[in-house]
């Protein structure tokens, strides 16, 4: 059972959070300030510390210097989101913006504790100073990336075939380049081929070459890309798209170390190291006979998995800021910063397109941002899939439990909903958002999630006008 210390001066938040975590089988201790936390408990005995950023006496960031290797999760309101990001740079494991719901908090706690355990295991298994050092061109210091760096450093000096697996846009070619540059073949060519980008009728000729007259249009003999990589590394991206006939030829290259161009009688010896990449499940494709099983086992010697961006924690913000600097330099303008709302969007969006999608979003925002030193949420233009509520749908209306006694197990989600329900007739959307410490955009999103339709009062109509 993981032991969590909650440091929060608001009793209603602290109690609700304690009950929530206890229901999920966590052992909980509480404190109302940094001073109380350090005098009542030994911080290094905890598995996680959840602390509010603003506390009486001393800020929650003071715990970062006292907690040692124990991860600290910072809670903050929208208004102080910039400070929360700064606290991550000081060493906080992650942050979560208030108000938050149960699922969001539990998911964050599990992720932080899980990453801390992975990090301890990785440090125990290898010398992080040598094997976990960063790789040129790859950004990120999360535990999953340090583990990837260590595996690359181990496999690169060998001639083992490597299969890189990862979602689209995660940077599989960067891994192949790192493997090549750290190998004894780094003075030889690195030939990269996207198997999905070459027509099926041409892929064999492109890879293995052809003799003059081997087929219609073959007016001259041509050396294939496999032969061009002789002595170096051949990187086959999206190898799952390779036709079965080409797979058979590739298997011969790997088994016999020789390649025979289309139309040729004799084969020639080649010495290539293969690095393959895919976002597909090759084992399943092999079971469905859409990929040669013998080739799958031949290339699956060492498998490296690139984590998606959503599993890399604060790496997302580091990559975003690096991209901003790069694109600002390209167009000769001062370096921009992300607004607090944009930071919240960048760090909470799931990024299905991973680094490639993030790169496109940042480049677009840098180009479109005018007369400002900050990139705002609207310019970033991230599709958060916000769906308007059908006010006539009774299933989407607020739960009756919101009207129960506030002293009885009031959750953080209910606290937010209760405040909006009790004050929306007398306060404007701007005032509601200000009191809750969130932006109007965030308030609108929370209304959608909790099923609280916005009433068009006279004051609201005047405000919008």
């Amino acid at each position: 059972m993981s032991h969590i210390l909650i440091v929060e001066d608001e009793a209603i938040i602290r109690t609700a959070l304690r009950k929530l975590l206890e229901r999920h089988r966590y052992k909980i201790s509480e404190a109302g300030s940094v001073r109380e936390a350090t005098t009542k408990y030994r911080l290094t005995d905890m598995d996680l510390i959840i602390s509010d950023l603003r506390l009486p006496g001393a800020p929650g960031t003071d715990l970062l210097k006292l907690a040692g290797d124990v991860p600290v999760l910072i809670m903050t309101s929208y208004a102080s989101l910039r400070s929360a990001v700064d606290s991550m740079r000081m060493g906080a494991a992650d942050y979560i913006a208030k108000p938050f719901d149960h699922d969001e908090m539990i998911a964050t706690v599990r992720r932080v504790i899980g990453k801390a355990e992975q990090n301890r295991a990785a440090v125990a298994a290898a010398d992080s100073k040598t094997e976990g050092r960063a790789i040129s061109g790859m950004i990120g210091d999360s535990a999953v990336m340090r583990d990837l760096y260590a595996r690359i450093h181990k496999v690169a000096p060998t001639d083992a075939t490597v299969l890189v697996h990862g979602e689209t846009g995660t940077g599989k070619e960067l891994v192949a380049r790192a493997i090549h540059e750290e190998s004894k073949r780094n003075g030889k060519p690195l030939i990269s081929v996207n198997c999905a980008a070459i027509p099926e009728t041409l892929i064999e000729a492109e890879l293995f070459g052809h003799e003059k007259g081997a087929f219609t249009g073959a007016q001259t003999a041509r050396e294939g890309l496999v032969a061009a990589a002789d002595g170096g590394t051949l990187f086959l991206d999206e190898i799952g798209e390779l036709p079965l006939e080409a797979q058979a030829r590739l298997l011969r290259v790997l088994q016999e170390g020789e390649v025979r161009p289309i139309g040729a009688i004799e084969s020639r010896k080649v010495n290539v190291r293969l690095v393959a990449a895919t976002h597909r499940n090759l084992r399943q494709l092999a079971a469905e006979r859409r990929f040669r099983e013998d080739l799958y086992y031949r290339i699956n010697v060492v498998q490296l998995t690139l984590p998606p961006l959503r599993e890399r924690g604060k790496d997302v913000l580091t990559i975003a800021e690096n991209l901003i600097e790069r694109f600002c330099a390209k167009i000769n303008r001062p370096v921009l910063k992300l607004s607090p709302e944009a930071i919240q969007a960048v760090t909470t969006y799931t990024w299905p397109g991973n680094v490639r999608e993030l790169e496109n979003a940042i480049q677009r925002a840098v180009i479109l941002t005018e007369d400002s030193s900050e990139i705002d949420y609207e310019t970033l233009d991230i599709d958060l899939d916000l769906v308007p509520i059908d006010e006539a749908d009774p299933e989407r209306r607020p739960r009756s439990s919101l009207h129960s006694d506030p002293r009885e197990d009031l959750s953080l989600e209910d606290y937010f909903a209760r405040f909006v329900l009790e004050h929306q007739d007398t306060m404007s959307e701007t005032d509601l958002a200000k009191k809750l410490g969130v932006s109007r955009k965030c308030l609108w999103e929370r209304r959608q999630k909790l099923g609280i339709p916005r009433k068009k009062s006279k004051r609201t109509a005047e405000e919008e006008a």
Side-chain angles (χ1 to χ4, degrees):
M1 181 182 294
S2 298
H3 191 179
I4 300 175
L5 173 62
I6 301 172
V7 186
E8 167 65 66
D9 59 321
E10 291 189 35
I12 186 172
I13 300 293
R14 191 170 67 244
T15 301
L17 187 52
R18 173 178 58 79
K19 291 182 177 181
L20 169 64
L21 294 172
E22 284 179 342
R23 283 198 296 269
H24 286 79
R25 301 182 181 280
Y26 291 106
K27 180 181 178 182
I28 305 300
S29 295
E30 300 178 49
S33 65
V34 172
R35 182 182 180 86
E36 183 182 353
T38 54
T39 54
K40 287 179 63 176
Y41 309 104
R42 182 182 297 177
L43 301 185
T44 53
D45 290 342
M46 304 295 169
D47 294 296
L48 172 65
I49 298 173
I50 303 177
S51 175
D52 192 14
L53 182 61
R54 295 182 178 179
L55 294 167
T61 49
D62 280 12
L63 293 168
L64 298 173
K65 297 174 288 186
L66 304 171
D69 293 331
V70 178
V72 178
L73 173 62
I74 293 293
M75 297 187 294
T76 179
S77 65
Y78 165 81
S80 57
L81 191 56
R82 176 81 67 184
S83 299
V85 174
D86 290 339
S87 72
M88 288 178 64
R89 295 193 179 99
M90 295 168 62
D94 209 336
Y95 74 89
I96 186 166
K98 297 179 183 176
F100 44 81
D101 58 30
H102 291 177
D103 292 340
E104 182 182 9
M105 173 58 78
I106 293 301
T108 302
V109 167
R110 286 174 177 166
R111 184 175 67 250
V112 172
I113 291 179
K115 286 184 178 180
E117 292 174 349
Q118 290 177 358
N119 190 30
R120 285 192 293 268
V123 171
D127 182 2
S128 61
K129 290 184 179 180
T130 57
E131 296 186 347
R133 66 184 185 277
I135 290 174
S136 177
M138 300 183 71
I139 302 171
D141 192 44
S142 58
V144 287
M145 290 304 292
R146 287 198 301 270
D147 181 61
L148 177 65
Y149 298 153
R151 292 174 67 86
I152 290 174
H153 295 318
K154 285 182 179 180
V155 72
T158 73
D159 266 340
T161 301
V162 179
L163 178 61
V164 184
H165 191 274
E167 295 179 7
T168 180
T170 50
K172 295 186 284 294
E173 187 167 356
L174 290 177
V175 174
R177 188 169 300 278
I179 291 172
H180 175 72
E181 291 178 353
E182 292 196 15
S183 72
K184 59 187 178 183
R185 300 172 179 265
N186 59 5
K188 299 293 183 177
L190 168 64
I191 303 297
S192 299
V193 184
N194 187 338
C195 299
I198 303 175
E200 190 171 321
T201 54
L202 299 178
I203 187 70
E204 287 189 69
E206 287 290 322
L207 284 177
F208 309 107
H210 60 79
E211 292 295 308
K212 179 180 179 180
F215 51 84
T216 303
Q219 299 178 356
T220 59
R222 181 177 179 182
E223 182 181 63
L225 295 175
V226 172
D230 190 18
T233 304
L234 176 67
F235 172 55
L236 295 183
D237 195 9
E238 298 301 346
I239 194 172
E241 308 301 324
L242 202 61
L244 290 172
E245 295 81 2
Q247 291 178 30
R249 286 181 174 268
L250 179 61
L251 183 62
R252 180 173 179 81
V253 172
L254 298 177
Q255 289 179 336
E256 307 297 335
E258 59 184 31
V259 59
R260 184 166 65 90
I262 298 174
I265 299 175
E266 296 182 353
S267 301
R268 63 164 286 189
K269 288 290 184 181
V270 290
N271 178 14
V272 298
R273 181 193 192 169
L274 177 66
V275 177
T278 183
H279 72 282
R280 306 182 69 177
N281 187 335
L282 294 186
R283 181 186 291 274
Q284 182 178 344
L285 291 180
E288 297 171 355
R289 299 194 175 185
R290 296 162 59 193
F291 194 86
R292 291 184 64 102
E293 190 174 24
D294 48 2
L295 178 60
Y296 168 69
Y297 289 117
R298 188 76 187 185
I299 66 176
N300 191 31
V301 179
V302 177
Q303 186 170 151
L304 300 179
T305 301
L306 260 172
L309 203 54
R310 60 184 173 274
E311 295 179 5
R312 293 178 56 181
K314 59 184 179 182
D315 283 355
V316 179
L317 188 59
T318 304
I319 296 171
E321 291 175 338
N322 183 274
L323 291 171
I324 290 173
E325 291 182 12
R326 188 204 305 175
F327 290 128
C328 286
K330 280 187 176 181
I331 61 175
N332 297 317
R333 69 176 299 172
V335 178
L336 300 171
K337 293 183 178 180
L338 293 168
S339 69
E341 193 174 23
I343 289 172
Q344 190 173 21
V346 166
T347 53
T348 56
Y349 183 52
T350 57
W351 297 108
N354 293 294
V355 179
R356 186 179 294 119
E357 182 185 7
L358 174 61
E359 185 175 13
N360 292 341
I362 294 298
Q363 183 177 18
R364 177 175 62 247
V366 168
I367 293 172
L368 297 180
T369 297
E370 298 178 356
D371 303 324
S372 174
S373 61
E374 286 190 336
I375 296 174
D376 58 28
Y377 172 82
E378 287 76 14
T379 307
L380 198 59
D381 193 23
I382 297 175
D383 183 9
L384 292 175
D385 298 326
L386 301 178
V387 181
I389 292 177
D390 181 0
E391 294 186 14
D393 184 357
E395 296 296 322
R396 301 295 298 278
R397 292 177 182 170
R399 299 185 299 263
S400 59
S401 61
L402 298 179
H403 304 286
S404 60
D405 188 337
R407 293 171 296 179
E408 295 184 9
D409 195 21
L410 182 65
S411 71
L412 297 170
E413 190 175 274
D414 290 347
Y415 177 82
F416 180 94
R418 177 183 293 280
F419 187 90
V420 172
L421 287 170
E422 290 181 353
H423 297 89
Q424 65 179 354
D425 292 335
T426 58
M427 296 175 66
S428 68
E429 290 293 289
T430 299
D431 291 337
L432 276 174
K434 187 174 181 180
K435 288 291 185 182
L436 288 166
V438 300
S439 66
R440 286 189 52 167
K441 184 76 171 179
C442 182
L443 174 59
W444 185 84
E445 292 170 7
R446 290 282 170 170
R447 282 184 178 276
Q448 313 310 299
K449 185 168 186 178
L450 297 176
I452 309 174
R454 179 180 173 186
K455 294 184 178 180
K456 294 285 185 177
S457 64
K458 181 179 180 181
R459 181 170 182 175
T460 301
E462 291 175 352
E463 182 188 49
E464 292 182 341

